């Protein structure tokens, strides 16, 4: 049976009421809080630092999923782990030593993952699968919220799911497959059918008048996806 997780991104939240917003989406049925970190260096935008993560942590009744769009990554891995991150993902292009950065995340007691940009091939994860808890596929070019889903991401999801399934068959360990960018109730079923199990939704949740209704609508679409296995 498939297990799906919805991760609202606070990039689309009302920053003047961030703690309240985090509490509200958790109460509305969110499985994770997605925390986008941009440094105006690796990507052309500047968002949240470790102090904000630490500030929202008491309001998050679900795990905090930190996506580092920063370069270099290692110092901020430690800072965000101390700030309360439960999952930390980063882009392989932003680390000189991918294996070392993944090990550092796990040494801090967090789950570790890699993020693949639209033009980054899935094969890059092949040599570090034993250190991964999650793979995050970007279905938009990183840097800004509110972008439209890139359609050819569906084929990339299928390719990555096949790679992860082969690893699971060999190791007995399942790696989560998360997708971020333009996810909404209209396309979430297609994304799930391609093989994703974790879905980052920003404006589709925080732009709705009723967060529980928005998340519930996505879950109803996910319930229509044929079960694997």
């Amino acid at each position: 049976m498939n297990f799906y997780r919805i991760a609202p991104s606070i990039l689309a939240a009302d920053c003047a009421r961030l703690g309240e917003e985090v509490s509200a989406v958790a109460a509305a049925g969110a499985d994770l809080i997605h925390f986008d970190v941009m440094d105006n260096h690796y990507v052309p935008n500047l968002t949240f630092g470790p102090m904000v993560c630490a500030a929202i942590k008491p309001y998050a009744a679900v795990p905090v999923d930190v996506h580092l769009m920063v370069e270099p990554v290692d110092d901020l891995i430690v800072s965000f782990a101390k700030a309360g991150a439960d999952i930390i993902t980063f882009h392989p292009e932003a680390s000189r030593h991918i294996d070392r950065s993944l090990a550092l995340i796990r040494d801090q007691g967090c789950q570790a993952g890699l993020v693949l940009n639209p033009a980054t091939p899935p094969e890059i994860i092949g040599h570090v699968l034993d250190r991964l808890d999650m793979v995050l596929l970007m279905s938009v070019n990183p840097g800004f919220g509110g972008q439209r889903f890139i359609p050819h991401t569906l084929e990339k999801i299928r390719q990555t799911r096949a790679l992860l399934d082969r690893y699971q068959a060999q190791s007995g360990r399942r790696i989560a497959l998360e997708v971020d960018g333009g996810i909404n109730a209209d396309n979430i079923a297609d994304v799930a059918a391609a093989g994703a199990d974790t879905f980052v939704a920003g404006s589709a949740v925080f732009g709705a008048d009723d967060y529980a209704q928005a998340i519930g609508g996505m879950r109803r679409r996910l319930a229509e996806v044929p079960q694997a296995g």
Side-chain angles (χ1 to χ4, degrees):
M1 183 175 180
N2 292 329
F3 173 67
Y4 296 124
R5 295 185 295 181
I6 295 175
S9 169
I10 65 167
L11 192 61
D14 181 349
C15 289
R17 302 184 299 111
L18 211 46
E20 181 183 337
E21 291 273 73
V22 167
S23 291
V25 291
D31 301 291
L32 303 170
I33 299 298
H34 193 75
F35 192 99
D36 286 306
V37 183
M38 305 182 192
D39 65 354
N40 198 34
H41 176 65
Y42 181 72
V43 292
N45 200 357
L46 186 65
T47 58
F48 313 108
M51 290 178 63
V52 177
C53 185
I56 69 160
K57 181 65 175 180
Y59 297 90
V62 296
V64 177
D65 172 25
V66 172
H67 171 196
L68 295 179
M69 288 168 271
V70 304
E71 186 180 6
V73 300
D74 288 359
D75 286 346
L76 283 177
I77 283 170
V78 175
S79 296
F80 275 96
K82 290 179 178 177
D86 298 286
I87 305 166
I88 299 177
T89 60
F90 66 92
H91 294 254
E93 298 90 347
S95 172
R96 289 182 179 271
H97 303 284
I98 297 170
D99 187 81
R100 185 179 300 161
S101 297
L102 289 169
L104 180 59
I105 294 172
R106 288 186 151 197
D107 287 346
Q108 300 297 311
C110 301
Q111 292 186 28
L114 284 179
V115 189
L116 306 187
N117 285 330
T120 304
E123 292 76 20
I124 197 169
I125 68 176
H127 296 291
V128 292
L129 288 167
D130 60 325
R131 293 196 183 276
L132 295 178
D133 300 291
M134 176 183 283
V135 175
L136 169 53
L137 300 184
M138 295 302 298
S139 45
V140 298
N141 288 294
F144 298 92
Q147 299 183 68
R148 296 185 66 178
F149 182 89
I150 298 174
H152 68 70
T153 306
L154 290 174
E155 178 57 30
K156 187 174 181 179
I157 296 168
R158 286 188 281 267
Q159 294 171 359
T160 307
R161 181 77 270 162
L163 192 159
L164 297 181
D165 284 348
R166 288 194 295 271
Y167 172 74
Q168 183 177 358
Q170 296 166 358
S171 67
R173 198 173 68 86
R174 184 172 178 83
I175 296 172
L177 181 53
E178 185 173 36
V179 178
D180 181 1
I183 300 292
N184 55 49
D186 293 331
N187 61 21
I188 195 169
D190 291 335
V191 175
D197 52 51
T198 307
F199 311 89
V200 178
S203 53
V205 174
F206 284 109
D209 293 330
D210 187 321
Y211 297 163
Q213 186 174 26
I215 293 172
M218 292 182 185
R219 292 208 188 279
R220 285 190 293 274
R221 296 303 304 273
L222 289 171
E224 300 169 0
V225 178
Q227 298 297 294

